[in-house]
Amino acid sequence: MQIADRTVASFHYTLTGEDGQVIDSSRERGEPLAYLHGAGNIVPGLEKAMAGRSQGDAFKVTVEPQEGYGERHEEMIQVVPKSAFQGAPEPKPGMQFQGQGPQGPVMVVVTAVEGDQVTIDGNHPLAGKTLNFDIEVTEVREANEEELNHGHVHGAGGEHE
């Protein structure tokens, strides 16, 4: 069976950055990632490269930022007063917080703290980066009706509800 819309694909991956450093790997967790093809559950460039693949296929794919997590947007970087973090732990670089953006909740990362000013970045940490995937397809199957209705995989390697 080939990966196509309405199928569930499971795969192991190792993601490296432009410098060759490992960013993430399913192999370290010991369980492949499962996703519903055509539902936008993985970055577009990787989903396009997965189409037509079958169990046992192993390949490498490079995904440019516009087909990955998008370009970085400077307007997503803001300086806010430390008082905006009342009731939260003392902000330090690297900490993540959920903020409220124009389209709803946004994860932000504290990038700097200077006096009473905190710089936060709402860009995805991999925005603007070229992503290199080393893929091994471990399973391809038809999605069940519940998965199709919910738009994601249930069970091992997917969402658990």
Side-chain angles (χ1 to χ4, degrees):
M1 173 178 281
Q2 291 185 324
I3 298 172
D5 287 354
R6 303 177 63 89
T7 63
V8 170
S10 298
F11 64 99
H12 274 296
Y13 68 92
T14 298
L15 170 60
T16 56
E18 295 174 54
D19 59 2
Q21 294 294 311
V22 174
I23 297 169
D24 191 19
S25 176
S26 65
R27 286 178 172 84
E28 291 176 9
R29 289 186 293 283
E31 184 176 291
L33 176 68
Y35 78 100
L36 175 61
H37 192 82
N41 298 152
I42 60 175
V43 295
L46 180 56
E47 189 166 49
K48 286 178 188 174
M50 296 290 284
R53 305 288 182 158
S54 301
Q55 182 176 337
D57 285 356
F59 62 98
K60 295 177 190 255
V61 63
T62 298
V63 176
E64 297 299 326
Q66 61 273 20
E67 290 286 312
Y69 290 97
E71 299 292 344
R72 287 187 57 75
H73 297 284
E74 292 305 310
E75 63 272 15
M76 299 287 290
I77 300 171
Q78 298 180 349
V79 177
V80 297
K82 199 182 265 188
S83 62
F85 293 87
Q86 286 182 345
E90 180 77 14
K92 292 180 177 35
M95 291 178 85
Q96 294 184 355
F97 292 92
Q98 184 171 316
Q100 193 61 36
Q103 281 85 34
V106 175
M107 287 302 296
V108 298
V109 175
V110 175
T111 58
V113 179
E114 296 177 13
D116 288 337
Q117 301 295 305
V118 179
T119 303
I120 57 173
D121 186 346
N123 286 291
H124 187 282
L126 297 176
K129 298 197 183 301
T130 298
L131 309 172
N132 299 297
F133 289 94
D134 187 349
I135 303 292
E136 177 192 354
V137 180
T138 59
E139 181 183 14
V140 182
R141 65 171 174 80
E142 291 290 333
N144 64 43
E145 284 304 312
E146 185 178 24
E147 291 167 330
L148 292 170
N149 289 336
H150 288 193
H152 59 253
V153 177
H154 292 178
E159 297 284 326
H160 301 276
E161 292 187 17

